Amino acid sequence: MEVTELPISDAWLFTPRKHADPRGTFLEWFRTDALESVTGHRLELAQANASVSRAGTLRGVHYAQVPPSQAKYVTCVSGRILDCVVDIRIGSPTFGAHAAVVLDDVDRRGLYVSEGLGHAFMALTDGAAIAYLCSTPYTPAREYGINPLDPDLDLPWPPGLTPLLSDKDIAAPSLHQAAAAGILPSYADCRAFYDSLRPLGSGAVRS
């Protein structure tokens, strides 16, 4: 499995090796050792989610309070999506920046989004099915969102699709409004939390 760190620190893309024969294809879409090699800790699986979306559906930008927030390992099992990781950590060198990747049922890549980062995606095909492995259960009282159409974020949603948002995501604040309201995680708190997850003697170093 090939691992690539995204321009936003603490987010990685995992590209599996596919084994094909006349029957079809086999692959390992998640490996805990591959993830641990870059994060320095295991993913504590607390919840597994799935969503199926029509083309143009836009979900996010979602995040949760740190600690414990919620780390996510995301893959697209059917169809195609544009997935965006947004650095919303106050004090981060890349605060307000994003990294965008395509997840689909061809390359079958996985995306790991660390605690405190924002996550959003747009379905590029009808019936886009997404599977998420989550480090903590969904807890509404500590869940937040930022409007994915915030012009200051300038996320690269395809112009040929009309965005379909939930009422909650439409009403979400902009990044600057969320910062002014004091509801964004801090980079220092996130770094301290990441370190707390690593066992003593771990060889992985987070950038």
Side-chain angles (χ1 to χ4, degrees):
M1 181 174 281
E2 179 184 341
V3 185
T4 305
E5 185 166 21
L6 298 182
I8 304 300
S9 65
D10 308 302
W12 288 269
L13 190 63
F14 296 79
T15 303
R17 295 186 181 92
K18 295 179 292 182
H19 307 278
D21 64 24
R23 299 169 299 168
T25 302
F26 176 85
L27 61 114
E28 298 169 341
W29 69 272
F30 172 78
R31 285 189 59 126
T32 190
D33 58 345
L35 182 61
E36 189 174 359
S37 72
V38 289
T39 64
H41 64 85
R42 297 174 69 87
L43 174 63
E44 195 69 35
L45 179 59
Q47 183 171 311
N49 301 334
S51 67
V52 180
S53 303
R54 59 180 291 190
T57 296
L58 179 52
R59 302 180 188 270
V61 176
H62 298 152
Y63 67 99
Q65 288 176 343
V66 179
S69 189
Q70 185 186 69
K72 300 173 182 176
Y73 188 94
V74 186
T75 192
C76 181
V77 297
S78 180
R80 191 166 184 258
I81 67 170
L82 180 65
D83 202 314
C84 289
V85 180
V86 184
D87 195 343
I88 59 171
R89 302 168 297 184
I90 296 289
S92 169
T94 54
F95 176 74
H98 67 269
V101 298
V102 172
L103 303 181
D104 59 26
D105 58 9
V106 177
D107 295 326
R108 299 193 180 278
R109 298 183 296 181
L111 173 66
Y112 182 74
V113 182
S114 289
E115 297 87 349
L117 292 171
H119 177 250
F121 74 84
M122 176 179 276
L124 303 180
T125 59
D126 286 332
I130 316 305
Y132 317 72
L133 304 180
C134 303
S135 64
T136 59
Y138 174 71
T139 307
R142 57 180 179 81
E143 303 287 335
Y144 293 94
I146 295 166
N147 193 307
L149 300 178
D150 177 3
D152 288 331
L153 290 181
D154 194 26
L155 300 179
W157 309 124
L161 290 172
T162 300
L164 304 173
L165 284 74
S166 69
D167 291 341
K168 182 178 179 180
D169 287 343
I170 291 173
S174 68
L175 181 67
H176 292 302
Q177 289 170 334
I183 58 174
L184 295 180
S186 81
Y187 185 63
D189 287 348
C190 289
R191 298 240 64 84
F193 184 69
Y194 304 153
D195 289 342
S196 76
L197 297 174
R198 296 175 60 198
L200 295 175
S202 170
V205 178
R206 300 182 71 130
S207 57

